[in-house]
């Protein structure tokens, strides 16, 4: 039995709160955000006496510490902005509370994300006897767990990994992002990177793409991006010869994005407008649709998985493991679209693994360092069934 504090009341926070409320292991849930009205709306939708709400400025460590201690939290699940990862980790250390997040730290003034800042907390969490679980969404998150499961059950060595992420849904908007627009656009407009033969290769943003066939969806143009789980997987699976990440975007989305870049709306530095300093990307975020608002009219599916190639008992082997998720089904269950759902469910489940002691070590960890079996045994039951294809077609031999 445990008390969990969830920080962040966007689409993902709503899913995490819904799923935690449905789990008997969580006796009390505190949903906290700068805008408490958003928390209250989510709590009303859940309709459980277990869920309480509170206002919180997560950048203020002392405020977070006080809220954690007053509530008596055993675990903090961070689904707020990646800018807040380090201050929330600091608060957990001071309050003596375990920590879990879904995305790695980003400095507000630099469009760069990597695990080095959070990995530097290893000794602090280990000495405190606390656990910090990093990147427990879907990608990063389930993709790392899929890879760990493949290594445990299907391979002696993994040599090639291609993570593929398709959103074939339709929300009816001319241009919108499926999660926080500021974070989303920062992510996809930076240079792409992939790992090959011991070296990180860098490419211009969205300059490499290919059609990939997704189950029950078909061929979709998929672009080579850098994604944070590549960094941890290369570190934790040293036999990897190549690791890449691919994500689908429509032609209309790419065209809109390139126009916004060309006119300076994706800039993250301040500009002066009518005597005030504003960040163009933050202004763009304010005028784009709120991602959670897309859910009601969303149709279609997502498909996210891992194509893996390596050796087992001296023989070459291929393996594909994936999940498809339906936007409309997610909305009917918890009022979210599938992007929020596929991130929020693993966060709640990762928290469950921690409070049950199935994932419990002192220090800072990425998900692929944990035993994948208990997590995947529960994932389908919680709404994300997964499928595997052994020695099937492998689209990345070139």
């Amino acid at each position: 039995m445990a008390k969990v504090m969830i920080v962040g009341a966007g689409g993902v926070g709503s899913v995490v709160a819904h799923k935690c409320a449905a789990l008997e292991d969580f006796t009390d849930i505190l949903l906290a955000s700068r805008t408490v009205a958003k928390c209250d709306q989510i709590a009303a939708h859940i309709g459980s006496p277990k869920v309480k709400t509170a206002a919180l400025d997560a950048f203020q460590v002392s405020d977070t510490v006080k809220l954690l201690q007053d509530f008596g939290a055993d675990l903090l699940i961070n689904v707020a902005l990646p800018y807040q990862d380090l201050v929330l980790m600091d608060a957990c250390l001071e309050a003596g509370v375990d920590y879990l997040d879904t995305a790695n730290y980003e400095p507000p003034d630099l469009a760069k994300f990597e695990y080095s800042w959070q990995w530097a907390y290893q000794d602090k969490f280990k000495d405190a006897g606390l656990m910090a679980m990093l990147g427990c969404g879907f990608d990063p998150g389930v993709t790392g767990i899929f890879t760990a499961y493949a290594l445990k059950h299907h391979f002696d060595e993994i040599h090639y990994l291609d993570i593929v992420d398709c959103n074939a849904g339709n929300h009816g908007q001319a241009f919108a992002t499926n999660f926080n627009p500021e974070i989303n656009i920062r992510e996809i407009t930076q240079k792409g990177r992939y790992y090959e033969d011991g070296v990180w290769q860098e490419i211009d943003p969205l300059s490499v793409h290919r059609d990939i066939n997704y189950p029950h969806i078909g061929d979709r143009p998929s672009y080579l991006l850098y994604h944070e789980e590549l960094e941890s997987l290369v570190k934790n699976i040293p036999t990897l010869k190549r690791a890449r990440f691919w994500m689908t975007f429509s032609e209309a989305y790419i065209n809109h994005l390139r126009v916004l870049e060309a006119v300076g709306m994706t800039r993250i530095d301040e500009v002066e407008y009518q005597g005030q300093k504003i960040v163009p990307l933050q202004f763009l975020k304010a005028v784009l649709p709120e991602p959670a608002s897309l859910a009601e009219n969303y149709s279609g599916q997502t498909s996210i998985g891992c194509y893996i190639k390596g050796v087992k008992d001296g023989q070459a082997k291929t393996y594909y493991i994936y999940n498809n998720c339906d936007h409309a089904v997610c909305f009917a269950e918890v009022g979210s679209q599938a992007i929020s759902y596929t991130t929020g469910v693993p966060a709640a489940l990762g928290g469950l693994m921690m409070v049950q002691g199935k994932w419990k070590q002192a220090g800072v960890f990425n998900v692929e360092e944990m035993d994948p079996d208990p997590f995947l045994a529960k994932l389908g039951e919680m709404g994300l069934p997964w499928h595997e294809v052994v020695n099937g077609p492998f689209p990345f031999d070139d």
Side-chain angles (χ1 to χ4, degrees):
M1 301 296 105
K3 295 183 176 183
V4 58
M5 186 167 104
I6 303 163
V7 180
V12 176
S14 175
V15 176
V16 176
H18 275 84
K19 290 296 184 177
C20 285
L23 294 168
E24 293 182 357
D25 298 77
F26 294 117
T27 57
D28 297 272
I29 299 159
L30 180 62
L31 181 59
S33 172
R34 183 190 295 269
T35 308
V36 72
K38 290 183 177 181
C39 301
D40 292 339
Q41 185 177 11
I42 293 168
H45 190 269
I46 296 170
S48 168
K50 293 199 296 184
V51 182
K52 304 295 188 296
T53 64
L56 174 67
D57 179 356
F59 283 111
Q60 304 302 316
V61 173
S62 59
D63 292 353
T64 306
V65 170
K66 185 176 188 307
L67 196 57
L68 286 166
Q69 291 177 335
D70 289 348
F71 177 58
D74 301 291
L75 171 69
L76 184 149
I77 296 180
N78 169 19
V79 285
L81 294 172
Y83 314 142
Q84 297 168 323
D85 287 0
L86 300 187
V87 290
L88 288 174
M89 292 176 77
D90 287 333
C92 284
L93 285 168
E94 188 172 337
V97 174
D98 289 331
Y99 169 91
L100 179 147
D101 67 31
T102 64
N104 67 3
Y105 174 71
E106 293 186 41
D109 57 352
L110 180 65
K112 179 180 182 180
F113 50 97
E114 61 183 48
Y115 278 117
S116 60
W117 291 289
Q118 292 179 276
W119 285 343
Y121 278 67
Q122 169 67 22
D123 289 342
K124 293 179 182 179
F125 272 82
K126 189 173 182 179
D127 292 346
L130 297 172
M131 185 176 196
M133 176 55 60
L134 309 183
C136 195
F138 206 106
D139 46 348
V142 176
T143 51
I145 296 165
F146 279 169
T147 307
Y149 181 84
L151 183 58
K152 180 176 180 178
H153 295 283
H154 292 278
F155 293 92
D156 296 322
E157 292 185 359
I158 291 176
H159 295 161
Y160 300 98
L161 169 65
D162 284 275
I163 299 169
V164 295
D165 182 328
C166 172
N167 177 20
N170 179 17
H171 48 55
Q173 300 286 336
F175 182 80
T177 63
N178 294 295
F179 59 95
N180 185 296
E182 185 178 354
I183 303 304
N184 188 193
I185 292 173
R186 282 166 61 112
E187 174 183 300
I188 65 177
T189 55
Q190 70 172 276
K191 286 186 177 293
R193 292 174 69 213
Y194 65 96
Y195 180 83
E196 188 165 26
D197 295 330
V199 178
W200 286 101
Q201 306 286 346
E202 192 171 88
I203 59 172
D204 289 335
L206 304 174
S207 61
V208 175
H209 66 91
R210 62 190 297 164
D211 284 346
I212 296 172
N213 187 272
Y214 294 87
H216 311 295
I217 294 170
D219 289 344
R220 289 291 189 275
S222 306
Y223 290 78
L224 186 61
L225 306 179
Y226 176 68
H227 226 239
E228 61 231 63
E229 66 261 49
L230 297 180
E231 181 185 16
S232 67
L233 286 164
V234 166
K235 173 190 173 188
N236 292 317
I237 304 179
T239 60
L240 275 167
K241 297 179 180 180
R242 188 183 68 206
R244 302 182 295 192
F245 182 95
W246 306 82
M247 181 174 283
T248 61
F249 298 101
S250 69
E251 183 178 358
Y253 187 97
I254 296 295
N255 289 340
H256 276 87
L257 184 65
R258 285 177 172 155
V259 170
L260 291 169
E261 282 188 282
V263 299
M265 286 304 299
T266 64
R267 289 172 53 178
I268 64 172
D269 57 315
E270 289 184 338
V271 300
E272 187 168 325
Y273 175 71
Q274 295 186 347
Q276 294 187 343
K277 297 286 188 180
I278 66 167
V279 175
L281 182 55
Q282 292 178 352
F283 176 79
L284 177 61
K285 173 187 174 182
V287 299
L288 287 175
E290 171 69 31
S293 71
L294 304 174
E296 185 171 2
N297 298 311
Y298 227 133
S299 60
Q301 297 184 50
T302 64
S303 183
I304 310 173
C306 301
Y307 278 100
I308 300 169
K309 189 174 184 179
V311 294
K312 177 68 173 179
D313 298 327
Q315 301 295 315
K317 184 175 184 178
T318 64
Y319 181 71
Y320 176 41
I321 180 170
Y322 68 95
N323 160 265
N324 275 34
C325 189
D326 187 281
H327 288 287
V329 172
C330 297
F331 182 76
E333 182 191 343
V334 298
S336 84
Q337 35 95 335
I339 309 300
S340 297
Y341 192 88
T342 55
T343 305
V345 171
L349 179 51
L352 180 67
M353 295 292 101
M354 292 172 68
V355 302
Q356 287 183 340
K358 294 173 181 176
W359 289 1
K360 188 63 176 176
Q361 298 181 54
V364 177
F365 299 92
N366 294 90
V367 293
E368 64 269 16
E369 297 177 85
M370 300 293 105
D371 183 0
D373 291 357
F375 184 97
L376 290 182
K378 186 80 172 173
L379 184 62
E381 176 186 326
M382 287 189 63
L384 294 175
W386 50 280
H387 315 276
E388 51 189 343
V389 180
V390 178
N391 286 329
F394 193 78
F396 299 102
D397 282 329
D398 56 333

